[in-house]
Amino acid sequence: MKSMHSKQFYYDLLIPILLLAINLIIKALFLGNGSLGGDEPFTVFYSQADFSTFAAMMQDENNPPLYFILLHFWIKLFGISVVSVRILPLIFSSLTVVFIYKLGQKFLNVRVALLASLLFTFSNFHTFFAHETRVYPLFTLLTTISMYSFLSLAGNKGGRKHFISLLFSNTLLIYSHFLGFFVILAQVIAVVFIRDFRKAILKKYCFICLLTFVLYLPYLRLLISRFSTFNDKGTWVPSPTPEDLYTNLWKFSNAPVNTVVFILLMVTALILLILNRKKISGIPPGNIKVILIWFLVPYLLIFLISLVTPMFLDRYLIFISIGYYLVIAVSIHFIGSGKNWIFYPLSVMAVFLMLFTYNPRTGDERNTQELVNTIRQWKTGKTAVYLCPEWIDKGFVYYYNPEYFKDYKNTRTRLNTDHVFPINSAHQVNDTLLLNCESAIYLDGWSVQVDPENMIYRKLAGAFRKVECNENFHGYKIYHFSR
C-alpha cells in the first residue's frame, strides 16, 4: 500500500513539478536576449495606456483584450523592461506543460503524458513565444486547460466543477484570440460525432456554449467589425500553398528530419490501426478521437479557409501544436503497445531529436536596440528621420527615448520635436523642413505595405545624395542621405 501511494505521489505531483521547473529554467536562461521587436513594442505600448487610449486602440486591433489587460497590471507592478514584460509569457508557457501532462496522465496514460510533455518542453517554437510578450503562450495555456476541462466533463458525465472550468476557460480563450473559436468548434464536433461524449454531456455542453456566448456579448460587436474588415481589406498573411501543411509541422518539430520522423510514426500507427482493427491498449478510443480532432480539424480547416482569407500562419496555429505532440506520443505508444523494446527506443529517439535540435537562444535576430543606436550615431541636430510604416515607431521610441515611450499620449509629438517622423506616404514629408535639413535618415521596416511604389525613398533620394544603406538588421533597411 505504501509503495502504491509513493508511486501515485510520483506521478501526480513530482513529475509535473519537475516538468514545470525544467520549463521555467530553460526558458528563462536567455529571456532578455534580443530587443523588443515585431509586435512586442506595440503590445507593451498600449498595455501601459489608460482605458480611453486602450479602448480606441482596440477598435483596430486584431486580438481581443485579455492579454493586454493582464499585461497592463503586470506593468504596473514590474515596469516595462525587456525581461519584466517577457516573464508573463514565460510563466504561461511553462504552466502549459503541467496541463499537457495532467491531460495525458488522466485521459491517455502516463507514458503518453510524459512523452508529449517533453516534446513540448524542447520545442524551439514554444521557447520563442515564451520569449515574446504576445498573447500566444496564454492562448496555448487556455486551449490546453479547455481541452482538459472538456475531457474531464465527459469523464465525469457533467460534474459541476468541470462545467465551471470549461465555461470560464472557453470564455477566456475567445477573449484572448479569435481563433479560440476553432477550439470550441473541435469540441462541438467531438460532442456531435463521438457517441460516448454525446450521451454524457450533449445538453450540458450546449448550455456551456450558450453561457459562453452571453459572456462574450460585450465584445461581439467589435468581433463582427474586425471580421468585416478582414473581408474588405484581407490580411497581410500570404495565401498558403500545400507545402505550408508540412512547413508548419516543421516549425512545431524543430527541424526537417524530426518532422519526417514524426509524420512516419503517425502514418505507421494509422496503418497498424487499420490492419489490426484493434483498440489502443489502455486508452479509451473516444479520448484518442478528441486528440485527433484537436490536431487535424482546425489545422486542415484553417488551411482551407486561408485559401480565401489567409491566416495559415505558424503563430496562429500554436494552439494546434499541443494536439500534434499528443498524437505523436499516442502513435509511439500504439506502435510499441505491449512491446517495451519498441516503445522505449522510439520514445528516446523522439525526445532526443527534439533535444538535439533545441536552441534556447531564440530571438537573437531581434536587434532593434542596435538599429536605434546606429540611427542615433548618424543623426545630428539638422537631420530629419523618417520611419515607415508609421507603426514601427513603437519599437523605435522604446530604445530611442523610454520617457517618450511612457508618455503614450504625446509620443508622436515628442518624436516630431526631435525631427523624427513616422509616416506612410511621401505626401507626409514636409518639403520646407527637407530644404532646411543637412541630412536625412530613412528607416524602411517593410514599407511595401503602405508605399508599394517606394515614393518616400525616391523623394529623399531626389533631395539628397545617398551616403550609405545598412541592411544588417532583421527586416529593416536604414538609408542615410546627405547634401
Side-chain angles (χ1 to χ4, degrees):
M1 183 66 72
K2 186 177 179 181
S3 174
M4 185 182 298
H5 284 306
S6 175
K7 194 173 184 180
Q8 204 59 40
F9 169 80
Y10 178 77
Y11 288 144
D12 292 347
L13 194 61
L14 189 58
I15 290 180
I17 288 175
L18 285 172
L19 288 169
L20 176 62
I22 292 169
N23 273 262
L24 285 169
I25 291 168
I26 66 175
K27 290 174 180 176
L29 285 175
F30 302 101
L31 190 63
N33 267 36
S35 308
L36 284 191
D39 289 332
E40 284 186 291
F42 170 88
T43 304
V44 175
F45 184 83
Y46 282 106
S47 293
Q48 69 177 345
D50 59 26
F51 178 76
S52 59
T53 305
F54 175 75
M57 180 274 297
M58 288 307 300
Q59 302 301 311
D60 297 314
E61 170 56 15
N62 293 331
N63 288 292
L66 180 61
Y67 185 75
F68 291 95
I69 293 170
L70 295 175
L71 186 58
H72 173 84
F73 291 104
W74 183 268
I75 286 172
K76 284 189 175 296
L77 292 173
F78 302 106
I80 61 168
S81 73
V82 172
V83 171
S84 67
V85 296
R86 287 180 179 168
I87 288 175
L88 197 58
L90 163 69
I91 292 170
F92 291 144
S93 182
S94 299
L95 283 174
T96 300
V97 79
V98 176
F99 286 93
I100 294 172
Y101 176 81
K102 287 294 184 182
L103 185 153
Q105 179 198 21
K106 186 174 179 180
F107 303 107
L108 302 169
N109 64 37
V110 172
R111 301 199 312 184
V112 169
L114 185 57
L115 180 52
S117 298
L118 291 173
L119 296 178
F120 166 84
T121 297
F122 299 116
S123 163
N124 292 332
F125 183 69
H126 284 280
T127 298
F128 175 85
F129 287 107
H131 292 177
E132 182 180 71
T133 184
R134 291 289 285 164
V135 69
Y136 303 105
L138 174 63
F139 184 31
T140 309
L141 173 62
L142 289 171
T143 297
T144 311
I145 293 173
S146 172
M147 296 305 291
Y148 175 83
S149 302
F150 176 74
L151 288 165
S152 297
L153 185 73
N156 287 274
K157 301 192 185 307
R160 180 180 297 178
K161 178 176 69 173
H162 302 300
F163 180 97
I164 294 171
S165 173
L166 183 57
L167 170 63
F168 283 102
S169 59
N170 278 1
T171 302
L172 292 174
L173 186 62
I174 55 179
Y175 268 110
S176 69
H177 202 284
F178 292 136
L179 293 186
F181 284 102
F182 282 94
V183 179
I184 296 175
L185 175 62
Q187 293 172 0
V188 169
I189 291 171
V191 170
V192 171
F193 291 100
I194 302 174
R195 186 178 61 180
D196 292 343
F197 283 70
R198 187 168 62 248
K199 289 171 62 178
I201 59 168
L202 177 59
K203 290 182 180 179
K204 284 186 169 60
Y205 191 77
C206 288
F207 191 42
I208 286 174
C209 288
L210 176 62
L211 290 176
T212 302
F213 175 77
V214 171
L215 291 171
Y216 200 68
L217 279 176
Y219 194 76
L220 191 60
R221 180 190 62 81
L222 197 53
L223 172 68
I224 295 169
S225 169
R226 297 311 301 148
F227 270 102
S228 64
T229 301
F230 292 154
N231 290 333
D232 293 341
K233 298 181 180 180
T235 69
W236 63 269
V237 182
S239 296
T241 64
E243 185 183 358
D244 291 326
L245 289 167
Y246 166 76
T247 55
N248 280 303
L249 295 184
W250 171 1
K251 292 176 182 179
F252 297 165
S253 310
N254 288 4
V257 65
N258 300 9
T259 314
V260 172
V261 170
F262 294 156
I263 291 173
L264 286 173
L265 288 170
M266 291 187 287
V267 170
T268 301
L270 178 62
I271 292 171
L272 290 175
L273 188 63
I274 293 171
L275 293 176
N276 295 337
R277 295 183 177 276
K278 66 179 182 180
K279 296 179 180 180
I280 298 178
S281 61
I283 304 177
N287 293 351
I288 294 175
K289 290 174 184 176
V290 170
I291 301 302
L292 284 169
I293 290 170
W294 178 1
F295 166 44
L296 289 174
V297 170
Y299 195 66
L300 297 176
L301 186 57
I302 292 173
F303 174 80
L304 293 174
I305 293 172
S306 294
L307 299 176
V308 179
T309 304
M311 55 180 172
F312 197 70
L313 190 68
D314 55 359
R315 61 182 56 216
Y316 296 164
L317 303 172
I318 192 169
F319 70 102
I320 298 168
S321 64
I322 308 303
Y324 173 66
Y325 300 136
L326 287 165
V327 169
I328 294 168
V330 169
S331 299
I332 292 173
H333 169 73
F334 181 63
I335 294 169
S337 182
K339 301 171 184 175
N340 288 338
W341 62 274
I342 294 178
F343 172 80
Y344 287 115
L346 287 180
S347 298
V348 170
M349 176 193 68
V351 174
F352 176 79
L353 285 172
M354 293 295 284
L355 181 59
F356 184 74
T357 55
Y358 181 61
N359 175 24
R361 299 179 62 95
T362 62
D364 281 359
E365 72 281 358
R366 298 180 182 129
N367 49 9
T368 314
Q369 185 172 16
E370 185 182 345
L371 178 152
V372 173
N373 288 339
T374 300
I375 292 176
R376 189 181 280 113
Q377 290 170 9
W378 291 350
K379 188 180 185 301
T380 68
K382 291 190 175 182
T383 302
V385 180
Y386 296 95
L387 317 175
C388 181
E390 62 180 17
W391 56 78
I392 65 173
D393 65 332
K394 307 297 186 297
F396 175 87
V397 74
Y398 181 88
Y399 290 102
Y400 177 74
N401 192 319
E403 294 307 313
Y404 289 7
F405 185 89
K406 293 175 184 177
D407 187 12
Y408 54 87
K409 289 188 176 181
N410 301 299
T411 298
R412 288 278 176 94
T413 302
R414 298 182 75 168
L415 281 175
N416 292 168
T417 301
D418 286 359
H419 290 175
V420 177
F421 305 97
I423 61 175
N424 281 336
S425 73
H427 300 298
Q428 294 172 271
V429 177
N430 186 300
D431 293 326
T432 304
L433 176 66
L434 219 55
L435 288 172
N436 293 324
C437 287
E438 294 178 352
S439 62
I441 297 170
Y442 177 39
L443 176 59
D444 181 345
W446 203 16
S447 64
V448 68
Q449 288 186 290
V450 294
D451 184 25
E453 301 298 323
N454 212 11
M455 297 304 296
I456 297 172
Y457 172 83
R458 292 184 185 184
K459 186 167 187 174
L460 295 175
F464 298 91
R465 174 180 59 88
K466 186 173 77 171
V467 177
E468 58 186 310
C469 173
N470 191 327
E471 299 185 39
N472 295 325
F473 303 102
H474 183 69
Y476 291 92
K477 297 177 184 178
I478 312 175
Y479 298 99
H480 186 200
F481 300 92
S482 176
R483 295 293 179 191

